[in-house]
Amino acid sequence: MINAHSAAAVRAAEEPLLAAGRPLMATAAFALATRVAAALRREGYRVSGSIVLLLVGGGNNGGDALHAGAHLARRGCLVHAALLGRAHPGGLAAATAAGVQVHDLTEDDDPAGVVLELAGWSGVWVDALVGIGARGALREPLAGVVEALAEERAENPGGAIVVAVDVPSGIGVDDGTLPGPVLPADVTVTMGAPKPGLLLPPAADLAGRVEVADVGLDALDDAVPAVCRLTGDDVTALWPVPGPGDHKYTRGVLGLVAGSQTYPGAAVLAAAGALRTGLGMVRYLGPEVPTALVHQRFPEVVAVPGRVQAWVLGPGVGPEPSVRSEEVGEALAAALAAHQPVVLDAGALALLGEAFTDLPATVVLTPHAGELAALLTARGEETSREDVEDAPARHARLAAEITGATVLLKGATTVVAAPDGPLYAQAEATGWLATAGAGDVLAGMVGALLAGYGDLLAGEVHGALPSDGAGLPARLAAAAALVHGRAARTAAGLTGEDAAGGAGAPVTAMDVAAAVPAALRALLG
């Protein structure tokens, strides 16, 4: 698991080490210089003879960069340092002694112009303008410098390598927001532990490759993280795998109320996601047309009421009042009365502004940004889709706190929030996953995992869940998002470290569902 810690937690972990005289800056600077050299080699450049531009603000980030510049100068790099704030005295002395060419722009009338000129013939830009203590948008002259460099980078995407120190300057360190201009990085060398903004959208998209430099912050090992990202190993440990004594009921039975005369395909897609995830049975309750389609595609689906351990409600059901929405409401009331875990998707989310409040964390909401905005507005928090897209983590957490439920906010990076505990941020998806019906598949997958842990999660409602199971619904939702994203990548023909953007081939939602077993084989071995 990748654990990100807040700026305050990192500073608290640093304090006793600094008081004991530990040379944290020297350690960080050496790690930064090493990572800059590695970035050059990955792009096929020699370290010796490369030109490096340090963008130096005030504070310790600037000191890290200046000391790193001294290391790189001694390795044969031609290093320039553009000072845009009060430079760290020790770092400046070390850089000057090593032959770094210092350009003091603190009183210059056109610092952005000078920096652009220096940047034009530099192979690496090291962004050390502000660190984790910064709040809000960059102020001048830093904002103008960053805007100019970002524009240059956009016009020449194959140009210089950008390495950010700790975080790209200007991001919301703790919440992943973008309050102002930010210079997108190819590599972010973060000290001690990732910061939340490196995992959370939209800032995470500008961090590039995140590399953690170990500077000895061992105290963070026992600290509760602010944001987590599950890895394949975490999912392998979490995913229910049947043994010789299991049968269809012990593997989990999912009740599915999805689809309508208008959107019958949603029922098929939700059933596909659930079945391919590995549960024992799907019980589908729906009208004639969706039922016929589900049975045509999946004859193993049972279409009569009976025992279930979790529910998926709402895919393909419109939010407007109808017989189908009434059925969803009745199923939700019954599930809550029976303490069964529930996934609420699409049309089912509209119920939360009316009849259902104070939900348990075993209810998982799966909105996209527009649906989350509508949900919050209905609960008295006036919110637009743009508000959610600008600060996904903040609004997902707000929705979890208001409703009591676990919230899975769908997006290029999926954010999962419970009323308490860490956020989860999963970024496995490819851009091809933004296609109709993909959310229905994901709802089925989340429901299948909840059904696999149904008896345990029913215990959580009564306070009987073991201490090591706290936050299990959020972890299961994050695990489903990881496998969903990897299945999309598999369906698109992407492997390994392929970019998640335009590479690969188009996929449909059913392609994603069909690729779930292959994604799981790769994880479970």
Side-chain angles (χ1 to χ4, degrees), residues 443-491:
M445 294 175 67
V446 176
L449 277 182
L450 293 177
Y453 281 85
D455 295 338
L456 180 63
L457 290 171
E460 183 180 50
V461 176
H462 300 288
L465 190 66
S467 59
D468 62 355
L472 181 58
R475 290 208 305 279
L476 293 174
L482 182 151
V483 175
H484 185 247
R486 292 200 180 187
R489 293 169 63 83
T490 299

Side-chain angles (χ1 to χ4, degrees), residues 43-348:
E43 296 299 320
Y45 301 120
R46 294 180 57 187
V47 176
S48 179
S50 290
I51 303 174
V52 178
L53 173 61
L54 311 177
L55 304 168
V56 181
N60 291 338
N61 254 36
D64 292 343
L66 288 166
H67 280 290
H71 286 299
L72 292 168
R74 287 192 288 269
R75 294 186 64 172
C77 291
L78 178 59
V79 183
H80 293 262
L83 306 186
L84 293 150
R86 177 180 287 184
H88 184 278
L92 183 58
T96 302
V100 173
Q101 298 185 34
V102 176
H103 308 264
D104 188 346
L105 305 181
T106 54
E107 302 296 332
D108 197 281
D109 292 336
D110 184 21
V114 177
V115 168
L116 276 178
E117 183 177 352
L118 293 169
W121 34 269
S122 298
V124 179
W125 306 343
V126 177
D127 172 11
L129 293 174
V130 299
I132 62 174
R135 293 292 180 269
L138 294 175
R139 294 184 289 273
E140 295 296 348
L142 303 186
V145 169
V146 165
E147 285 179 331
L149 289 172
E151 184 177 342
E152 171 65 22
R153 180 171 167 75
E155 293 176 355
N156 298 285
I161 304 166
V162 180
V163 179
V165 182
D166 225 358
V167 294
S169 296
I171 72 165
V173 176
D174 285 338
D175 63 9
T177 56
L178 298 174
V182 175
L183 176 61
D186 295 298
V187 179
T188 297
V189 182
T190 193
M191 306 305 170
K195 313 310 179 289
L198 300 178
L199 301 185
L200 293 173
D205 294 337
L206 304 184
R209 175 191 182 112
V210 177
E211 300 181 358
V212 180
D214 184 2
V215 295
L217 303 186
D218 297 337
L220 292 177
D221 294 343
D222 298 321
V224 177
V227 180
C228 299
R229 176 166 294 171
L230 299 183
T231 64
D233 289 343
D234 300 312
V235 174
T236 299
L238 194 61
W239 210 267
V241 176
D246 279 304
H247 50 79
K248 61 188 175 185
Y249 294 109
T250 61
R251 290 180 61 189
V253 180
L254 179 68
L256 177 60
V257 180
S260 60
Q261 299 297 115
T262 306
Y263 303 109
V268 177
L269 293 167
L275 290 167
R276 264 69 179 257
T277 297
L279 82 175
M281 182 192 299
V282 172
R283 290 189 185 276
Y284 176 68
L285 304 179
E288 182 178 347
V289 171
T291 300
L293 285 175
V294 170
H295 267 163
Q296 181 180 2
R297 194 64 185 255
F298 302 112
E300 63 268 40
V301 170
V302 176
V304 295
R307 173 185 174 185
V308 300
Q309 286 139 306
W311 290 87
V312 171
L313 308 176
V317 177
E320 65 282 349
S322 65
V323 172
R324 197 69 174 131
S325 61
E326 289 177 7
E327 293 172 351
V328 170
E330 292 169 359
L332 175 56
L336 293 175
H339 307 294
Q340 293 170 327
V342 184
V343 177
L344 298 184
D345 185 59

